Amino acid sequence: MTSELRLLSEHACFGGLQCFFEHDAESTGTPMRFGVYLPPQAAKGPCPVVFYLAGLTCTEETFAIKAGAQREAARLGLILVSPDTSPRGTGLEGADAAWDFGHGAGFYLDATVAPWASHFRMERYITQELHALVTTCLPVLPGAVGLMGHSMGGHGALTLALRHPGQYRSVSALAPIVAPSQVPWGRKAFAGYLGPDEAAWAAHDACALIAAGGRLPPLLVDQGLADKFLAEQLQPERLETVCREVGQDLTLRRHSAYDHGYYFVASFIAEHLQHHARLLAPGKA
Amino acid sequence: MTSELRLLSEHACFGGLQCFFEHDAESTGTPMRFGVYLPPQAAKGPCPVVFYLAGLTCTEETFAIKAGAQREAARLGLILVSPDTSPRGTGLEGADAAWDFGHGAGFYLDATVAPWASHFRMERYITQELHALVTTCLPVLPGAVGLMGHSMGGHGALTLALRHPGQYRSVSALAPIVAPSQVPWGRKAFAGYLGPDEAAWAAHDACALIAAGGRLPPLLVDQGLADKFLAEQLQPERLETVCREVGQDLTLRRHSAYDHGYYFVASFIAEHLQHHARLLAPGKA
């Protein structure tokens, strides 16, 4: 089941190790890369793990380089895993044609439409293959798995946690796409990966999943109010409304002046990791 | 004296602002870019400033994106300024031929040899033109100016502080080139920018300057022991020896496992900023 892991690089960082791995993924039929931060505590015993799903155009390196998360992860004793945002080098026609579809834009679902269905299976990759690899090969505290993401990766965190109840004990998002069926980024991706029948889209739309009875652990979401994608693509009020209607626990924080980028992510990452640590290792954070 | 400042971008970050500016620099005869982090305290009154000089191949963005320094700067109330590492777009033949000479490799000196002398005047740029711009246009506490750098920028921090006594009240370096006259990176750069007469090189060599009587404020230097440039290019023992011989205050910390990159810089940047804050704003840090 677990293909061979190839260590691409490792770097001492805040007393722990920032590593990058590659493996031949069965889910996508391609080599896949991911980053792992091992805090100093991981050398002594098992630790909780938080998966971070990145946004459009990002790679497995973006979070590790730009978010400055290792400092707080080292303090809290959290393992961080940062997958790539899609399969790469698929050779599929059109996979490099746009920045918001194809390579770098996997949308954390399993495509059902040709030719994408042959490689773009990021849901299976994240929730099964990489999950199994991480929880068997790394010193992960059994069951202590959190999931978070930014933008497209915030969509991924919400929908994967909703679609796999019980798998993630803590969930959070930064500037997530909360209702992809209703906004241009999501409509383009869903039409491409899932086909034109919108009935199939609701199963990958966080707001629709919550409206249909899906539930998450107490949810933390941060959103910058100077985010240029706020009104057209993100629309956090949709999440706020549906959570209020069904009684889903949501802490949605709006921050004036913050934009969509990693200076925003870096500013709030420590509080997100604290949120995960509280739920994954109660009494320690 | 101060040319027009063009704001390229600004991003809310840890309650302050990460900005990038461009201006037409007289020193280099080119447009020059630099980053500025304004901590939240700068909105209320003047703050100390720390200049950070980056290493080979870096730009004005590298430190802002990769070092994760804004968090601690926001806590301490420090303004951070990160210049580019050379003039760009000079059109000089050979300026793009190597990663360790020309564009991205200005070595923080004023070249005296044609054709480099026409544009590669980074010492004048950093210590005069940008210094004046920053201290007049930003809310800088008078005299509270620190200087630090990484690798080639560590060489820059040490030599510029030694050559401009009194201008920098606090100095530190991460994995600096301490004796450029003696190592391949420095010998190549000095031969190119200053000519083959090695007598002229000592004036830009930190160890030689200290041996000749130059003095610095209490100096903090960090060095990773898994740094692949340690033995050939960095040789911190040369700095240790000359400082001991002449009584220069030096705290040199060697860290096992750390390499030369920004995961190392990020791991120790907070302690460097604390060192600067102690000297620049005594009683506050």
Side-chain angles (χ1 to χ4, degrees):
Chain A
M1 148 100 224
T2 56
S3 54
E4 195 195 349
L5 266 187
R6 298 183 288 276
L7 178 66
L8 299 173
S9 69
E10 65 176 1
H11 314 273
C13 186
F14 288 100
L17 276 178
Q18 176 65 52
C19 309
F20 295 97
F21 294 98
E22 187 178 66
H23 67 131
D24 297 320
E26 204 181 324
S27 316
T28 63
T30 63
M32 289 292 294
R33 293 183 171 194
F34 60 97
V36 172
Y37 179 67
L38 290 169
Q41 295 87 337
K44 293 170 214 136
C47 295
V49 63
V50 178
F51 286 75
Y52 176 95
L53 306 181
L56 291 165
T57 76
C58 292
T59 74
E60 76 287 353
E61 283 197 307
T62 311
F63 174 72
I65 291 173
K66 295 185 170 184
Q70 296 93 348
R71 182 184 178 285
E72 190 68 8
R75 198 179 73 78
L76 295 168
L78 294 178
I79 298 170
L80 304 177
V81 174
S82 51
D84 201 353
T85 54
S86 78
R88 304 280 175 176
T90 60
L92 296 177
E93 197 182 327
D96 287 319
W99 65 275
D100 56 0
F101 188 82
H103 295 152
F107 270 83
Y108 303 105
L109 49 73
D110 292 348
T112 55
V113 169
W116 312 105
S118 59
H119 294 293
F120 282 73
R121 293 195 288 246
M122 288 299 287
E123 176 168 13
R124 186 181 317 190
Y125 176 67
I126 300 289
T127 62
Q128 295 179 35
E129 187 169 3
L130 184 61
H131 192 92
L133 197 60
V134 161
T135 53
T136 56
C137 297
L138 300 178
V140 173
L141 198 64
V145 182
L147 183 62
M148 68 175 298
H150 170 235
S151 193
M152 174 184 75
H155 146 73
L158 298 174
T159 55
L160 296 187
L162 284 160
R163 290 169 56 81
H164 301 270
Q167 183 160 343
Y168 302 102
R169 203 190 291 167
S170 57
V171 181
S172 76
L174 292 145
I177 306 171
V178 301
S181 307
Q182 313 294 328
V183 303
W185 278 340
R187 294 183 65 80
K188 175 176 177 178
F190 285 3
Y193 294 131
L194 303 173
D197 178 6
E198 297 193 21
W201 298 5
H204 300 278
D205 180 301
C207 284
L209 284 163
I210 293 170
R215 290 298 176 269
L216 295 166
L219 180 61
L220 174 64
V221 174
D222 280 301
Q223 176 62 57
L225 294 181
D227 186 326
K228 67 180 173 180
F229 303 114
L230 178 57
E232 189 180 13
Q233 307 280 5
L234 304 176
Q235 306 180 0
E237 61 279 6
R238 290 182 182 268
L239 181 67
E240 197 169 40
T241 300
V242 71
C243 286
R244 192 173 48 229
E245 284 171 1
V246 305
Q248 165 66 47
D249 185 330
L250 167 68
T251 302
L252 170 62
R253 309 190 302 183
R254 294 174 166 91
H255 304 280
S256 64
Y258 284 87
D259 63 24
H260 196 65
Y262 270 80
Y263 296 113
F264 159 68
V265 172
S267 297
F268 297 101
I269 194 69
E271 291 170 58
H272 279 253
L273 296 184
Q274 289 157 18
H275 170 82
H276 288 271
R278 273 192 298 272
L279 293 168
L280 297 176
K284 280 202 167 184
Chain B
M1 150 95 225
T2 55
S3 54
E4 194 196 351
L5 265 188
R6 298 183 288 275
L7 178 66
L8 300 173
S9 69
E10 63 176 3
H11 314 273
C13 187
F14 287 99
L17 276 178
Q18 176 65 52
C19 310
F20 295 96
F21 294 99
E22 187 178 68
H23 66 131
D24 296 319
E26 204 181 321
S27 314
T28 62
T30 62
M32 288 293 293
R33 294 183 170 193
F34 60 98
V36 172
Y37 179 67
L38 290 169
Q41 295 87 338
K44 296 170 212 135
C47 296
V49 62
V50 178
F51 285 75
Y52 176 95
L53 306 181
L56 290 166
T57 77
C58 293
T59 74
E60 75 287 355
E61 284 197 307
T62 310
F63 174 72
I65 290 173
K66 295 186 171 184
Q70 295 94 346
R71 181 184 179 283
E72 190 69 7
R75 197 178 73 79
L76 296 167
L78 293 177
I79 298 170
L80 304 177
V81 175
S82 51
D84 201 353
T85 53
S86 78
R88 303 280 176 176
T90 61
L92 296 176
E93 196 183 327
D96 288 318
W99 65 276
D100 56 0
F101 188 82
H103 295 152
F107 270 84
Y108 304 104
L109 49 73
D110 291 350
T112 55
V113 170
W116 312 104
S118 58
H119 294 293
F120 282 73
R121 292 195 289 245
M122 288 299 288
E123 175 167 15
R124 188 182 316 191
Y125 176 67
I126 300 288
T127 62
Q128 295 179 37
E129 187 168 4
L130 184 62
H131 192 93
L133 198 60
V134 161
T135 54
T136 56
C137 298
L138 300 177
V140 172
L141 197 65
V145 182
L147 182 63
M148 67 176 299
H150 170 234
S151 193
M152 174 184 75
H155 147 75
L158 298 174
T159 55
L160 296 186
L162 284 160
R163 289 170 55 82
H164 301 270
Q167 182 159 344
Y168 303 102
R169 204 191 289 169
S170 57
V171 181
S172 75
L174 291 144
I177 304 171
V178 302
S181 307
Q182 313 295 328
V183 303
W185 278 341
R187 294 184 65 82
K188 176 176 178 178
F190 285 3
Y193 294 132
L194 303 173
D197 179 4
E198 297 193 23
W201 298 4
H204 300 278
D205 180 301
C207 285
L209 284 163
I210 293 170
R215 290 297 175 270
L216 295 166
L219 180 60
L220 174 63
V221 174
D222 280 301
Q223 176 63 55
L225 294 181
D227 185 326
K228 67 180 173 180
F229 303 115
L230 178 59
E232 189 180 12
Q233 306 282 5
L234 304 176
Q235 305 178 0
E237 63 278 7
R238 290 182 182 267
L239 180 67
E240 196 169 42
T241 300
V242 71
C243 286
R244 190 173 48 228
E245 284 171 2
V246 305
Q248 165 65 46
D249 186 331
L250 167 68
T251 302
L252 170 61
R253 308 189 303 182
R254 293 174 166 92
H255 304 280
S256 64
Y258 285 87
D259 64 23
H260 196 65
Y262 269 80
Y263 295 112
F264 159 68
V265 172
S267 297
F268 297 102
I269 193 70
E271 291 169 59
H272 279 252
L273 296 184
Q274 289 157 19
H275 170 82
H276 288 271
R278 272 192 297 273
L279 293 167
L280 297 175
K284 280 201 167 186

